[in-house]
């Protein structure tokens, strides 16, 4: 279990520049690690070793893919109201589910928030039902309705990154390529020819794999291909989810405005529920809580949402942070 910590900003060493630069647009060539090293004055072997060390330290979760919404599988944001004395045990049980990829304690009556992913809706439903059965607590289900911005690349040096378009209704992975997608979501091997290694167990040669990945990137099936950071390890540990209660006819316009505000990494619409009227969400990350509050205040004003009912839910503990499993079936918790 990892608690939130404040770490010093990474140095501007070549390896840190490597992590900062290659969070997206990973080279789709036979020897991509050689390309990564060119800007950092490193050869391919040095790049692979730097990434191995970053993985071992927990700074990087994988070198691989973030799939677009609708590319495959099912996902759900969920929340629970857990009695304080049970929070540790319940959080551990939730994290034990292989299909749960993010699990945080947040400052709210609904104090445990997690994301579950699965290859299909039935498998996703089974994950949530197992958690309810094991904990004897209800799970609030909050499916996504529309994304306005999804971009969890982080600039480690504080400059504002170029914005990525929201990825709604990405073309789905065809059935005959789902095995390739399942391999890719687990991450590329840190070898000289990673795309050849990716395709080899599936009977695909290197050129075939690269051609498929280029197509997926171009059409939005892949939202991002590159180094996936674990932001807490770089001191980006002030994590706030801001939720707004708005009339249904106002959500889309407000979401489009909010997605354009500086500091907003994620912005999306979700279903409401009984006693949970909030339909518009955004995520803001930073190194210090006061700085995140300032970003939130500016974003609210800039989006014209100063009069909207809202709540700010800061995370206080990270229990789990891994990649989603949209294509590979997760083992059932015993």
């Amino acid at each position: 279990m990892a608690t939130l910590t404040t770490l010093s900003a990474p140095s501007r060493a070549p390896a840190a520049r490597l992590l900062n630069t290659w969070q997206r647009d990973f080279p789709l060539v036979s020897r991509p690690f050689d390309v990564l090293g060119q800007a950092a004055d490193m050869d391919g072997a040095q790049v692979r070793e730097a990434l191995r060390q970053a993985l071992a330290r927990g700074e990087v979760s994988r070198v691989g893919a973030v799939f677009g919404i609708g590319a495959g599988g099912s996902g759900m944001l969920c929340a629970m109201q857990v009695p304080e004395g049970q929070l540790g045990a319940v959080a551990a049980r939730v994290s034990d589910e292989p299909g749960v990829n993010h699990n945080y304690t947040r400052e709210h009556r609904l104090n445990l928030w997690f994301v579950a992913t699965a290859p299909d809706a039935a498998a996703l439903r089974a994950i949530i039902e197992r958690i309810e059965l094991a904990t004897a607590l209800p799970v609030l289900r909050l499916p996504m309705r529309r994304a306005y911005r999804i971009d969890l690349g982080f600039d480690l040096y504080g400059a504002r990154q170029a914005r990525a378009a929201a990825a709604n209704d990405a073309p789905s992975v065809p059935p005959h390529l789902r095995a390739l997608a399942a391999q890719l979501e687990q991450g590329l091997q840190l070898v000289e020819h990673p795309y050849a290694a990716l395709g080899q167990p599936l009977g695909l040669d290197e050129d075939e794999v690269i051609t498929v990945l280029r197509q997926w990137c171009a059409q939005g099936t892949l939202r991002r291909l590159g180094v996936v950071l674990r932001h807490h390890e770089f001191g980006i540990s002030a994590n706030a989810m801001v939720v707004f209660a708005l009339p249904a006819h106002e959500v889309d316009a407000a979401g489009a405005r909010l997605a354009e505000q500086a500091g907003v990494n994620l912005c999306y619409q979700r279903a409401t529920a009984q006693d949970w009227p909030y339909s518009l969400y955004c995520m803001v990350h930073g190194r210090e809580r006061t700085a995140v509050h300032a970003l939130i205040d500016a974003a609210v004003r800039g989006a014209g949402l100063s009069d909207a009912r809202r709540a700010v839910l800061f995370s206080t503990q990270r229990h789990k942070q891994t990649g989603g499993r949209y294509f590979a079936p997760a083992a059932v918790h015993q």
Side-chain angles (χ1 to χ4, degrees):
M1 183 181 299
T3 57
L4 299 182
T5 56
T6 301
L7 306 179
S8 60
S11 70
R12 291 181 181 266
R17 292 201 303 273
L18 176 80
L19 298 181
N20 201 52
T21 302
W22 292 107
Q23 295 176 56
R24 53 173 60 82
D25 301 327
F26 204 76
L28 287 168
V29 297
S30 179
R31 297 170 60 172
F33 298 110
D34 290 357
V35 176
L36 265 63
Q38 290 172 3
D41 196 26
M42 302 166 70
D43 62 29
Q46 291 172 315
V47 168
R48 294 193 296 275
E49 180 57 28
L51 289 170
R52 288 189 191 101
Q53 292 180 16
L55 283 162
R57 291 191 298 265
E59 295 169 356
V60 169
S61 68
R62 66 194 182 282
V63 180
V66 178
F67 282 89
I69 297 168
S74 296
M76 185 87 72
L77 176 66
C78 300
M80 302 176 72
Q81 182 176 347
V82 183
E84 192 63 32
Q86 300 177 32
L87 187 54
V90 171
R93 175 60 186 86
V94 170
S95 293
D96 278 348
E97 281 288 342
V100 169
N101 59 306
H102 285 61
N103 186 18
Y104 286 80
T105 300
R106 293 193 178 276
E107 296 172 342
H108 192 268
R109 169 182 57 85
L110 293 166
N111 53 356
L112 191 66
W113 290 77
F114 65 92
V115 175
T117 58
D120 54 56
L124 179 62
R125 184 168 57 252
I127 291 169
I128 297 170
E129 289 175 350
R130 284 197 298 271
I131 289 171
E132 289 182 318
L133 182 63
T135 63
L137 294 169
V139 173
L140 178 65
R141 296 156 170 82
L142 298 166
M144 186 179 291
R145 295 294 187 232
R146 183 174 182 184
Y148 307 102
R149 174 170 170 75
I150 294 189
D151 181 15
L152 270 178
F154 291 93
D155 190 328
L156 303 179
Y157 300 139
R160 187 178 177 186
Q161 285 188 306
R163 296 201 171 276
N168 288 291
D169 301 321
S172 62
V173 172
H176 72 284
L177 291 174
R178 288 181 67 88
L180 177 64
Q183 292 277 346
L184 184 60
E185 73 179 354
Q186 301 309 305
L188 294 173
Q189 295 182 44
L190 300 182
V191 296
E192 189 173 12
H193 297 278
Y195 302 122
L198 186 66
Q200 190 274 330
L202 307 174
L204 299 172
D205 66 30
E206 181 180 70
D207 287 342
E208 289 175 308
V209 171
I210 290 173
T211 297
V212 169
L213 297 188
R214 284 177 177 162
Q215 180 181 6
W216 284 356
C217 288
Q219 69 189 16
T221 298
L222 279 179
R223 186 167 69 238
R224 184 156 63 94
L225 181 64
V227 179
V228 181
L229 300 184
R230 289 166 54 84
H231 52 86
H232 289 199
E233 279 64 27
F234 291 92
I236 304 172
S237 56
N239 166 340
M241 181 175 73
V242 189
V243 294
F244 300 84
L246 297 170
H249 67 278
E250 295 182 10
V251 176
D252 279 343
R257 296 193 304 269
L258 187 60
E260 289 301 315
Q261 304 306 309
V264 172
N265 303 105
L266 306 175
C267 184
Y268 42 77
Q269 179 185 359
R270 291 192 178 276
T272 58
Q274 186 175 7
D275 297 327
W276 185 256
Y278 303 103
S279 55
L280 181 61
Y281 294 60
C282 75
M283 295 293 304
V284 180
H285 298 75
R287 298 185 186 280
E288 298 177 353
R289 189 178 177 116
T290 53
V292 171
H293 269 302
L295 284 170
I296 292 169
D297 291 344
V300 168
R301 290 194 303 270
L305 293 172
S306 297
D307 295 331
R309 178 183 173 187
R310 63 184 180 273
V312 179
L313 287 71
F314 272 91
S315 63
T316 58
Q317 189 164 9
R318 178 185 63 181
H319 304 284
K320 187 176 184 180
Q321 181 191 354
T322 63
R325 299 175 65 92
Y326 290 98
F327 298 97
V332 176
H333 173 88
Q334 301 294 327

